[in-house]
């Protein structure tokens, strides 16, 4: 959105950011040329016209579904949502937040693992009602191409996910048990 940085600075200055992760709802277009919306009302019109979609709606709905886009459409104040498995929103957090886990470079699980760790630390996930970002189409990255075409890459990522979940459990104890996946 135009002015997103200034909007975020204003929101952050008015809010206690301790253990808060502000979610910027993400949308995408399948068009290479788009008149970028300047306001939420324009985003809503473009969604209704089929010019925009919620981010990865056609490929990976789990990644952003907890944002609750139906609620966002009419929201005028920030609202709290719950973590769900495979959640990977775009967030604004205080600078003292836990770092991304360095095991996850390239494609796969970098945002998911980070959000999972914020959840185990009991962060509040708060959706901003007047913020948005739009992902524009581009050629697939080298790393996603490797993920899609290489079983060894996918197997390695699966092992790293399991290792991360075990480490989370060791670090945070019983509160992290909900993240351990039974395969």
């Amino acid at each position: 959105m135009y002015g997103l940085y200034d909007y975020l600075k204003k929101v952050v200055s008015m809010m206690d950011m301790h253990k808060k992760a502000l979610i910027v709802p993400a949308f995408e277009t399948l068009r290479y040329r788009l008149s970028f919306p300047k306001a939420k009302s324009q985003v809503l019109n473009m969604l209704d016209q089929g010019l925009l979609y919620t981010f990865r709606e056609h490929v990976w709905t789990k990644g952003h579904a907890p944002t609750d886009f139906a609620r966002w459409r009419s929201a005028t104040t920030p609202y709290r949502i719950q973590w769900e498995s495979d959640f990977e929103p775009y967030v604004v957090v205080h600078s003292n937040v836990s770092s991304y886990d360095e095991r996850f470079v390239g494609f796969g699980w970098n945002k998911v693992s980070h959000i999972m760790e914020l959840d185990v630390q009991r962060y509040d996930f708060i959706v901003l009602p007047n913020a948005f970002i739009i992902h524009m189409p581009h050629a697939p990255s080298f790393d996603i191409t490797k993920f899609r075409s290489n079983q060894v890459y996918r197997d390695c990522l699966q092992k790293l996910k399991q290792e991360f979940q075990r480490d989370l459990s060791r670090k945070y104890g019983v509160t992290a048990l909900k993240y351990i996946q039974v395969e």
Side-chain angles (χ1 to χ4, degrees), residues 13-176:
S13 73
M14 297 179 344
M15 186 180 287
D16 173 13
M17 288 299 294
H18 179 71
K19 298 224 177 204
K20 301 265 189 323
L22 306 181
I23 297 171
V24 178
F27 301 91
E28 70 179 332
T29 181
L30 303 178
R31 299 169 182 247
Y32 285 91
R33 297 181 73 166
L34 178 79
S35 293
F36 199 87
K38 293 182 172 61
K40 180 177 178 174
S41 60
Q42 292 173 316
V43 171
L44 296 174
N45 286 334
M46 294 173 92
L47 284 165
D48 293 342
Q49 294 172 13
L51 299 172
L52 290 180
Y53 305 92
T54 58
F55 187 60
R56 309 311 285 162
E57 172 181 327
H58 300 100
V59 182
W60 185 246
T61 55
K62 292 168 73 171
H64 292 265
T67 302
D68 192 354
F69 290 99
R71 184 173 178 187
W72 181 83
R73 291 178 72 93
S74 60
T76 57
T77 58
Y79 59 93
R80 189 170 184 257
I81 59 169
Q82 298 298 310
W83 174 87
E84 292 178 22
S85 181
D86 295 319
F87 190 31
E88 56 177 356
Y90 294 98
V91 296
V92 176
V93 292
H94 193 278
S95 61
N96 66 358
V97 71
S98 299
S99 298
Y100 274 72
D101 192 292
E102 294 179 1
R103 284 175 273 210
F104 303 105
V105 296
F107 177 81
W109 250 61
N110 53 358
K111 289 193 310 277
V112 172
S113 62
H114 190 243
I115 296 303
M116 188 180 285
E117 187 155 7
L118 295 182
D119 185 61
V120 78
Q121 293 174 7
R122 302 183 191 279
Y123 269 67
D124 289 328
F125 297 109
I126 300 170
V127 178
L128 298 175
N130 296 310
F132 60 88
I133 57 173
I134 298 176
H135 179 266
M136 300 298 288
H138 56 80
S141 69
F142 177 71
D143 291 305
I144 196 168
T145 302
K146 285 192 305 187
F147 173 81
R148 289 175 176 163
S149 65
N150 187 323
Q151 185 62 47
V152 173
Y153 187 101
R154 291 190 300 276
D155 291 345
C156 182
L157 181 59
Q158 184 61 33
K159 295 273 188 223
L160 291 173
K161 287 163 60 171
Q162 291 167 347
E163 180 182 282
F164 171 80
Q165 289 166 326
R166 282 191 305 273
D167 290 350
L168 206 60
S169 182
R170 286 184 192 110
K171 184 175 180 180
Y172 295 101
V174 71
T175 59

